[in-house]
């Protein structure tokens, strides 16, 4: 486990006023590691709460200490059973609300359903629905990290602090990659070019962008709908409706914009889940002459066969933070490394509880970061 140390933060970490209660909403014990680290840094005990599943799969929450008039912080890390995770959080928030807690702050490092934040034809904006449910349950403040789209903050009618993991990942690059000065920051698609540019400018490195990759899961897929309906003959449509047809997109052959020959390639993104696009990017970079390939991401979902595929791939190392537990995946794939971000979460909790400014945690962060 790689951890960033800061004397300025560490010196004041244990200074908290009374009336703070820290809960973990997870029934899965493997998801409680981050909560324990945060509690240890704050110098407080974890609150007494019982979260479990009934035989019929209903979630039950029993708070076993008084929260009346207190600031309650509920830490929820997302397990593989994401829907159960959401219900655990909502029920605990509502239980604290009905127990007269002064404020209820959700600490959700990885916000679930964040990829479903745009309308997709007949779909829905599930992220907006989830935000409304949390607010309705009684959440008064949200602490999260590296939202998939910053605009998700607008789905809430409560304060949202979207913290950044990039300082921890940048420090890992500087301290754990000896020859990082010979590296180039890579965006595996034009969509992640801004993040790559941010890393490159801070490390004073070059940037490369891979263009023309296969269509990913977030792209608009054909769903068989035609509007207006298809007609056997053009004359069937009203003659005054001469609507120009949009030219369909066609992916060009894969190209790399930027020089990666004889360099270390560091691919950066916010989420690594389905690794197919990362594997394809790594193969392309190897073909272009990159001699070492790293992948950096905030949230390591690493679903399905991701650990096995990474182990068999051209990727040398995958670095993710502990916003999501992935100890099992690390046992399956030694290439996966973890960066601890409990320090910034615990400092955010301390500042909110003590009524201090949060601006210290957002130093040097621009609008595009």
């Amino acid at each position: 486990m790689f951890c960033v140390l800061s004397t300025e933060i560490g010196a004041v970490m244990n200074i908290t006023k009374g009336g703070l209660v820290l809960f973990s909403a997870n029934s899965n014990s493997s998801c409680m590691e981050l909560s324990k680290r945060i509690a240890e840094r704050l110098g407080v005990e974890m609150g007494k709460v019982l979260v479990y599943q009934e035989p019929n799969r209903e979630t039950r929450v029993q708070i076993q200490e008084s929260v009346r008039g207190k600031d309650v912080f509920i830490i929820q890390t997302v397990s593989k059973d994401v829907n159960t995770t959401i219900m655990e959080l909502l029920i605990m928030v509502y239980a604290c609300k009905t127990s007269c807690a002064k404020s209820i702050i959700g600490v959700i490092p990885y916000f679930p359903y964040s990829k479903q934040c745009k309308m997709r034809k007949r779909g829905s904006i599930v992220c907006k629905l989830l935000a409304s449910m949390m607010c309705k349950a009684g959440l008064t403040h949200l602490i999260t990290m590296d939202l998939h789209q910053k605009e998700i903050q607008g789905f809430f009618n409560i304060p949202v602090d979207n913290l950044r993991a990039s300082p921890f990942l940048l420090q890992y690059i500087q301290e754990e990659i000896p020859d990082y000065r010979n590296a180039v920051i890579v965006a595996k698609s034009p969509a992640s070019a801004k993040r790559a540019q941010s890393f490159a400018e801070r490390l004073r490195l070059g940037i490369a962008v891979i263009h023309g990759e296969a269509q990913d899961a977030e792209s608009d897929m054909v769903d068989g709908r035609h509007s207006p309906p298809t007609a056997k003959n053009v004359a069937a449509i009203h003659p005054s409706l001469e609507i120009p047809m949009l030219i369909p997109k066609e992916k060009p052959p894969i190209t790399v914009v930027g020089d990666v020959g004889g360099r270390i390639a560091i691919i950066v993104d916010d989420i690594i889940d389905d690794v197919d696009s990362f594997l394809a990017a790594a193969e392309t970079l190897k073909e272009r002459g990159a001699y070492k390939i790293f992948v950096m991401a905030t949230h390591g979902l690493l679903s399905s066969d991701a650990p096995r595929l990474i182990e068999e791939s051209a990727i040398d190392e995958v670095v993710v933070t502990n916003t999501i537990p992935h100890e099992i995946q690390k046992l399956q794939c030694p290439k996966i490394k973890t960066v601890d971000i409990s320090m910034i979460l615990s400092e955010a909790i301390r500042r909110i509880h003590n009524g201090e400014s949060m601006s210290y945690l957002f130093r040097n962060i621009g609008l595009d970061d």
Side-chain angles (χ1 to χ4, degrees), residues 4-19:
V4 177
L5 298 177
S6 170
T7 54
E8 187 172 352
I9 290 180
V12 295
M13 190 60 69
N14 292 334
I15 303 174
T16 55
K17 300 175 183 177

Side-chain angles (χ1 to χ4, degrees), residues 9 64 86 88 102 173 210 262 292 300 348 369:
I9 290 180
Q64 299 176 326
I86 291 168
E88 289 170 347
K102 178 185 174 184
I173 292 171
I210 299 175
K292 216 167 190 181
D369 291 328

Side-chain angles (χ1 to χ4, degrees), residues 4-283:
V4 177
L5 298 177
S6 170
T7 54
E8 187 172 352
I9 290 180
V12 295
M13 190 60 69
N14 292 334
I15 303 174
T16 55
K17 300 175 183 177
L20 180 149
V21 181
L22 206 62
F23 286 134
S24 174
N26 285 108
S27 59
N28 189 340
S29 58
S30 66
C31 296
M32 295 183 64
E33 181 63 29
L34 181 60
S35 304
K36 292 175 182 176
R37 287 176 174 272
I38 292 172
E40 185 179 338
R41 288 185 179 279
L42 288 169
V44 300
E45 296 289 332
M46 290 297 300
K48 297 181 178 65
V49 64
L50 185 62
V51 184
Y52 62 96
Q53 309 297 317
E54 297 277 14
N56 63 357
R57 301 302 298 161
E58 288 185 358
T59 300
R60 187 173 291 272
V61 173
Q62 294 179 0
I63 297 174
Q64 299 176 326
E65 64 178 86
S66 174
V67 296
R68 182 179 294 273
K70 296 182 179 179
D71 292 332
V72 178
F73 291 83
I74 301 174
I75 303 167
Q76 184 69 321
T77 49
V78 177
S79 66
K80 293 298 178 187
D81 189 353
V82 62
N83 295 324
T84 298
T85 299
I86 291 168
M87 285 307 300
E88 289 170 347
L89 175 67
L90 293 174
I91 294 171
M92 183 173 285
V93 168
Y94 189 65
C96 292
K97 178 183 177 182
T98 54
S99 298
C100 302
K102 178 185 174 184
S103 60
I104 306 165
I105 299 93
V107 183
I108 312 171
Y110 170 67
F111 194 79
Y113 285 95
S114 58
K115 282 192 173 183
Q116 298 189 46
C117 61
K118 296 178 182 178
M119 180 63 76
R120 299 292 183 189
K121 296 184 178 178
R122 291 193 186 95
S124 61
I125 306 176
V126 183
C127 195
K128 166 63 176 173
L129 171 64
L130 186 54
S132 301
M133 290 166 65
M134 289 182 180
C135 294
K136 188 67 176 177
L139 207 64
T140 60
H141 198 135
L142 175 66
I143 301 172
T144 187
M145 180 166 281
D146 281 337
L147 287 169
H148 187 56
Q149 298 287 341
K150 294 189 292 295
E151 291 76 13
I152 291 173
Q153 295 172 84
F155 293 162
F156 293 85
N157 54 15
I158 58 174
V160 177
D161 288 308
N162 181 28
L163 303 175
R164 305 297 197 276
S166 52
F168 297 86
L169 297 174
L170 289 167
Q171 186 166 0
Y172 183 94
I173 292 171
Q174 291 174 315
E175 296 184 358
E176 301 297 316
I177 304 178
D179 197 21
Y180 84 93
R181 288 291 179 192
N182 187 37
V184 60
I185 306 299
V186 179
K188 69 179 178 67
S189 68
S192 54
K194 280 188 177 180
R195 179 180 295 271
Q197 181 182 357
S198 175
F199 272 68
E201 289 176 352
R202 282 170 167 76
L203 293 168
R204 314 303 192 258
L205 299 176
I207 184 173
V209 180
I210 299 175
H211 180 52
E213 77 282 6
Q215 203 168 27
D216 59 33
E218 282 193 271
S219 301
D220 289 321
M221 304 294 288
V222 175
D223 66 355
R225 180 177 64 173
H226 299 278
S227 180
T230 52
K232 291 182 180 179
N233 138 19
V234 180
I237 300 176
H238 196 279
S240 64
L241 294 176
E242 296 182 1
I243 302 172
M245 183 179 291
L246 191 64
I247 299 171
K249 292 181 180 179
E250 184 177 332
K251 292 278 185 179
I254 291 180
T255 57
V256 178
V257 182
D259 181 23
V260 297
R263 314 281 287 278
I264 299 172
I266 303 175
I267 304 171
V268 296
D269 213 335
D270 61 330
I271 299 172
I272 176 166
D273 185 6
D274 179 9
V275 297
D276 289 345
S277 59
F278 290 93
L279 301 184
E283 289 296 333

